[in-house]
Amino acid sequence: MLKPETMEEHLVGYLRNDLDPASRRAVEAYLRTHPEAAARVEQLRQNLAPWDEDAGRVAPPSDLVHRTLARIAEHRARPLPRAPRPRSYELGGITSRRFRLADMAVAAAVLLLVGVVGLAWIPKTRQRANELACQNQMRVVWQALQNYSDAPANHGEFPRVEANGPHSVAGIFVPMLQDAGLLTSDVSLVCSGNGPAADGRPSLQDLEQLYHDQPDTFKAVTRTLAGTYAYTLGYTDNGTLHGLRRDSGDLLPLLADAPPESGTGLSPNHGGQGQNVLYIGGNVRWCTQRTVGVNCDDIYLNQDGKLGTGRKWDDTVLGPSYATPYGVGE
């Protein structure tokens, strides 16, 4: 018999055709007698639809460059047959010269076409390479976050942003992981890994001292704690602030490219074309819209349209490094 607390997991498996026959029959029987569960299946079906859109994106083979260069080298090294001597035609070779000029014109046109196509292809290739590099970087951070939640003392919780005080900014997860020995200083938090790693990231003790003794410096430092990424601000339930847990649900967003300073555009990390989003389950998705939360809500604003804590467990909000649960900079 299916338990309600595990039904969400079974519904996702039902939609993805991952259940064994017995479990699938049990879910179908449950749906026939629980209309609310049937409605939840339809909602999950809509939420999972964007995942299928990304299924066709396949990264090029890792050895593609080496294979291409080897093929070029093989082609250039092959022996060429001796070309026949050009024949001289009537009128002092005028026809022959005209033929060679035509060849040169065709070759120039081909080179021009290849150049135009190549110039259009290079930016797209570079953008895709940056997307993949950013995703790999997020997976490194996710491994550190998972190890943190697995520690017995943390009881399955990810680093949590506090309601106030020196730990009340989204970027606090970085020194928390660093102090726990789970995130080394050589791991860049600049999107795509193209920027330098942070030089001398502050510890939790450093931040606490700055908060009390140098508040202006504290605010400046917190703007760069999480680099160019945004982290979950948690959610408020009955007036109590909660962070996300390992068992909160694999489909909840946990980390993403940071949003723009203002407006409702896409992350500037990738030229405003989209953003990578890391989910609790460890999956990283390239998203060309902001409404990729569990209920297709904006991952950078809560259900009230504000940058702050979510209004319930599945209304998670990803804030830039300096964001606080109850208002930026408060």
Side-chain angles (χ1 to χ4, degrees), residues 311-326:
R311 293 306 174 225
K312 54 182 180 177
W313 71 272
D314 58 352
D315 180 25
T316 50
V317 181
L318 307 180
S321 183
Y322 55 87
T324 61
Y326 301 111

Side-chain angles (χ1 to χ4, degrees), residues 174-175 178 184-186 197-203 206-207 210 221 224-225:
V174 175
Q178 181 175 279
T184 58
S185 59
D186 61 340
D199 183 16
R201 292 182 187 136
S203 64
D206 294 333
L207 286 174
L210 288 175
V221 169
T224 60
L225 274 180

